[in-house]
Amino acid sequence: MASRFVAVGMIFLSQTTLGFLGNFFLFYHYSSFHYTRCMLRSTDWILRHLTVANSLVLLSKGVPQTMSIFGLKRFLNDFECKLFFYIHRVGRGVCISITCLLSVFQAITISPTNSRWAELKLHAAQCTGPCLILCWVLNMLAATIILKHVAGQQNSRNNTEEKDLGYCSAVDTGNSSIVLLHVVVSSCYDVLCLGLMTWASSSMVFFLHRHKQHILKTSLSPRSSPESRVTQSILVLVSAFVSFYTLSSIFTSFLTIFPNPGMWLVNISTLITACFPTVSPFILMSRDPRISKTSLACCGRDKKFPMLTRCL
């Protein structure tokens, strides 16, 4: 095996392993808060679902892609290919849905009491659970169309209308109207989510600026509040998502346009798609004092860290 394939395989293996461990570690800590004196924030329930979606994206793409690069060919049958691509599509869709929900929820939470969104504060926390369930259900239904366009290479007949994706093949069913309708609906959904993220992020930046100006005028402590820290973390998370999502969409478009995309294009597209699920848990852990201080003060049991027990 050529050294360049070994290097690419090690990159995929490292990315998948690191990302999965990061998401598992974050999910574990958010779950462990239930059994300690540290109370969950309102956004923690949403972030737990994000870690699950991230893990699905990493495992469904990273594992078979790594095995393919290391020389395993035709190791997935038709059903397994459809299953892996279906799980990836669901995980990817839930990622954008939950990131959008997270940014909108936080924008409503920190909005001032005299704003037009103030009335939604009382109902936002109650709607979180149903909204999360709706995100999963809608994306599970929308992802079913991928089942018609993916096949295992074991069933490949050297059809020129098939695209080699490394371990599976993309099949052209010939029904262009249905494919076009799916592309349009998916694009509209993604644009809607990105638009809501942009609006929510802009609102959060505006609210934080007003809050900072209020602190300066009243000569209060310049120390940022827990709400401000959470909001800043979500802004960083949303910025990372939009950046990686834009790059991923560009390379995915290339895969769709080119009739015979090279494996280098497939590998780069897969690598970029997995960047956000890999990076996001470390962004959240680095900015959450409850996690960064856990080894020293197990969720507030140490008197040196009383802020760890505060719930937003």
Side-chain angles (χ1 to χ4, degrees):
M1 184 184 299
S3 58
R4 62 187 180 92
F5 290 112
V6 175
V8 174
M10 291 303 299
I11 292 175
F12 274 108
L13 180 61
S14 301
Q15 184 187 47
T16 303
T17 304
L18 186 65
F20 178 77
L21 291 177
N23 283 283
F24 177 80
F25 184 80
L26 189 63
F27 180 85
Y28 166 77
H29 276 279
Y30 284 151
S31 300
S32 65
F33 292 157
H34 283 293
Y35 305 102
T36 62
R37 285 186 287 173
C38 183
M39 299 178 64
L40 280 174
R41 294 169 177 159
S42 301
T43 55
D44 290 346
W45 181 246
I46 303 176
L47 291 174
R48 283 203 295 176
H49 282 258
L50 181 61
T51 61
V52 175
N54 286 341
S55 299
L56 292 180
V57 173
L58 288 168
L59 295 178
S60 61
K61 272 292 186 180
V63 173
Q65 193 73 23
T66 302
M67 296 172 65
S68 174
I69 292 175
F70 279 126
L72 292 177
K73 301 296 183 182
R74 304 179 185 271
F75 59 94
L76 294 179
N77 58 34
D78 192 64
F79 172 77
E80 292 168 343
C81 267
K82 294 180 185 296
L83 180 62
F84 271 99
F85 270 81
Y86 177 78
I87 292 175
H88 176 263
R89 183 61 64 89
V90 172
R92 180 182 178 275
V94 172
C95 276
I96 185 173
S97 301
I98 290 183
T99 306
C100 176
L101 176 64
L102 181 66
S103 58
V104 172
F105 177 85
Q106 189 62 18
I108 294 174
T109 300
I110 68 171
S111 61
T113 55
N114 58 352
S115 69
R116 56 184 177 179
W117 304 106
E119 297 180 358
L120 297 176
K121 286 186 177 183
L122 300 176
H123 306 285
Q126 299 175 356
C127 296
T128 301
C131 287
L132 288 171
I133 295 175
L134 185 63
C135 288
W136 283 99
V137 173
L138 289 179
N139 283 285
M140 290 174 69
L141 292 175
T144 54
I145 195 171
I146 198 67
L147 302 177
K148 296 182 179 181
H149 301 283
V150 177
Q153 290 184 338
Q154 294 178 358
N155 299 331
S156 177
R157 299 178 181 178
N158 296 325
N159 193 336
T160 57
E161 296 182 352
E162 293 184 357
K163 295 182 181 180
D164 184 12
L165 301 179
Y167 53 93
C168 294
S169 298
V171 181
D172 185 5
T173 58
N175 197 337
S176 58
S177 59
I178 296 180
V179 175
L180 179 61
L181 178 62
H182 174 71
V183 171
V184 171
V185 173
S186 299
S187 300
C188 291
Y189 178 79
D190 291 353
V191 169
L192 175 62
C193 289
L194 290 174
L196 288 174
M197 285 185 209
T198 303
W199 165 81
S201 300
S202 301
S203 300
M204 285 188 283
V205 171
F206 176 73
F207 294 149
L208 287 177
H209 178 72
R210 289 185 57 183
H211 178 67
K212 183 178 180 180
Q213 294 298 322
H214 175 72
I215 289 177
L216 294 175
K217 290 181 180 180
T218 55
S219 299
L220 296 175
S221 172
R223 182 178 178 179
S224 62
S225 64
E227 291 85 355
S228 297
R229 291 196 297 270
V230 173
T231 303
Q232 292 168 3
S233 300
I234 294 175
L235 286 173
V236 174
L237 187 71
V238 171
S239 299
F241 177 85
V242 173
S243 300
F244 289 125
Y245 176 83
T246 302
L247 289 174
S248 176
S249 298
I250 293 173
F251 281 95
T252 302
S253 300
F254 289 156
L255 288 176
T256 305
I257 295 172
F258 295 151
N260 294 305
M263 286 308 302
W264 67 270
L265 185 58
V266 175
N267 291 334
I268 293 177
S269 178
T270 303
L271 187 68
I272 295 177
T273 301
C275 281
F276 176 76
T278 302
V279 172
S280 59
F282 297 99
I283 293 176
L284 295 169
M285 285 187 290
S286 65
R287 303 182 68 88
D288 194 335
R290 298 172 303 165
I291 295 178
S292 60
K293 301 282 197 299
T294 296
S295 59
L296 297 176
C298 188
C299 269
R301 293 179 181 175
D302 195 318
K303 296 181 180 180
K304 294 182 180 179
F305 303 100
M307 289 297 294
L308 296 181
T309 58
R310 292 190 61 180
C311 181
L312 299 184

